[in-house]
Amino acid sequence: MENIQSIKPTESELEILQILWQLGKATVRQVNDELLKIKEVGYTTTLKLLQIMHEKHIVSRTEEGRYHLYEAAIGEEQTQQLLLGKFVDATFRGSAMKLVMQMLGNQEVSVDELEEIKKLIAEKEKSLGL
């Protein structure tokens, strides 16, 4: 399998991955039906995207009778970490603090979300021995 660091899913590929992470395994038709809930897309476009993703080792494919079943070959959390790391490096010169400050300054944050953020900070401090 290709090194996860070299995988760069496009926006359309990420939409398909989201569906596959939710469904597990799915046919082209099932993926296309889910995509149609969020945007206009043809069956052949979905098929071609899944074929490309298979070539890039982003999805795996197995035969079930007349159908191909597709499944994400890369994990959701692993993909999020990789893409976020690349985004932080490119946009915030690698500074997690700049990212968090920007997010907190520009987004509505609920009390529950703030409590979760505080817990994460406390856990990080504990792991660093602070």
Side-chain angles (χ1 to χ4, degrees):
M1 177 155 156
E2 196 170 335
N3 180 348
I4 185 72
Q5 295 294 325
S6 65
I7 295 174
K8 297 174 185 158
T10 66
E11 186 176 332
S12 293
E13 290 170 346
L14 281 171
E15 290 171 343
I16 290 173
L17 282 171
Q18 291 286 343
I19 291 166
L20 292 174
W21 289 325
Q22 180 183 4
L23 298 178
K25 293 182 180 183
T27 64
V28 177
R29 173 66 56 210
Q30 291 168 318
V31 171
N32 193 70
D33 288 348
E34 291 298 315
L35 283 173
L36 284 171
K37 294 177 182 177
I38 57 173
K39 68 181 188 178
E40 191 71 28
V41 63
Y43 176 88
T44 55
T45 301
T46 302
L47 172 62
K48 186 63 180 169
L49 278 168
L50 282 163
Q51 290 170 338
I52 291 168
M53 292 170 73
H54 182 255
E55 290 171 12
K56 291 168 71 175
H57 305 286
I58 296 173
V59 299
S60 61
R61 180 177 67 200
T62 56
E63 286 189 42
E64 289 275 325
R66 295 181 16 194
Y67 303 101
H68 284 121
L69 283 178
Y70 290 88
E71 183 175 16
I74 55 177
E76 183 173 13
E77 188 172 317
Q78 184 180 29
T79 303
Q80 289 169 343
Q81 289 174 354
L82 174 69
L83 294 177
L84 181 60
K86 288 179 179 182
F87 175 75
V88 171
D89 287 344
T91 309
F92 297 98
R93 287 181 266 149
S95 172
M97 182 197 68
K98 287 181 181 180
L99 169 69
V100 171
M101 296 302 290
Q102 190 70 27
M103 288 298 299
L104 290 175
N106 290 333
Q107 300 292 317
E108 290 294 321
V109 181
S110 71
V111 173
D112 289 341
E113 288 173 324
L114 278 176
E115 288 303 316
E116 280 298 313
I117 292 168
K118 288 177 187 177
K119 284 181 192 175
L120 288 171
I121 291 170
E123 288 172 14
K124 191 56 119 174
E125 286 175 340
K126 187 176 180 180
S127 74
L128 293 172
L130 301 175

